[in-house]
Structure formats: C-alpha cells, structure tokens
Amino acid sequence: QSFKLLGFLDVKSVPCARESVLYGSLGSLVVGLGHFLATSRVRRSCDFAVGGFICTMLGYWFYCRYNLAQHRIRQRMLKEGMRNKILFEGSSLDPERKQIGNERSDS
C-alpha cells in the first residue's frame, strides 16, 4: 500500500520524499506556533505555517537530493575503481606494481 501526497508524489518509493514531508510538517508547526505566540493572530499564523511547511519541505528536499546524488557518484567511482583494480592487478598497467618497482630501485 503506497501513500500518495497530492495524488502524484509517492512518498514510499521516492527517495527523500518521506523525510521532506516530515521535516516540513515539523517546520510548519514551529513557524505557525511561534508566529501565533508572538502576535496572537490565528489566520496570519496559519499562513505562516503553510509557508513554513513549503520552505522547510523544499529546503530539505534539495539538501537530501544533493547528498543522494553525491553518494551515488562516490559509489559509482568506487565501483569503477574496484573493477579497474581487478582488471589491472598483476599486469604492467598496475599502478601499485610500478610503485613497488621504484621503491626497490631506490634502495
């Protein structure tokens, strides 16, 4: 059973969607309650709460997606490095073999 926010955002399967909605609701509560305690205006505080929800949700969404993209890039680089290590190990193209050969010639 999946939960779709606004009918199109599948919170369960889209990365960062669940956390963004949760942090957005927390930001909404903090901003709305803080504005209400400061001014005692109910309608204006609700407007601020909606704005706080949108800003917090979008802010965390971009932050999370940026970190996810960085993680995937690092993962891809590591995977390629491991593949190259297996491919070139023991051959003349092995960088570690060249370093070991240079150290032996220095001593």
Side-chain angles (χ1 to χ4, degrees), residues 6-20:
L6 301 175
F8 65 90
L9 181 62
D10 190 7
V11 176
K12 189 174 182 181
S13 65
V14 176
C16 300
R18 179 180 179 266
E19 292 85 5
S20 296

Side-chain angles (χ1 to χ4, degrees), residues 46-59:
C46 289
D47 294 341
F48 269 80
V50 170
F53 174 77
I54 292 170
C55 290
T56 307
M57 186 180 78
L58 288 177

Side-chain angles (χ1 to χ4, degrees), residues 30-42 44-45 48:
V30 168
V31 170
L33 190 61
H35 190 271
F36 176 73
L37 291 175
T39 63
S40 297
R41 293 182 179 174
V42 177
R44 184 111 170 139
S45 297
F48 269 80

Side-chain angles (χ1 to χ4, degrees), residues 91-92 94-107:
S91 71
S92 62
D94 189 6
E96 289 183 11
R97 188 173 182 189
K98 289 179 184 177
Q99 290 173 357
I100 293 171
N102 289 339
E103 288 174 4
R104 287 183 184 161
S105 64
D106 291 338
S107 12

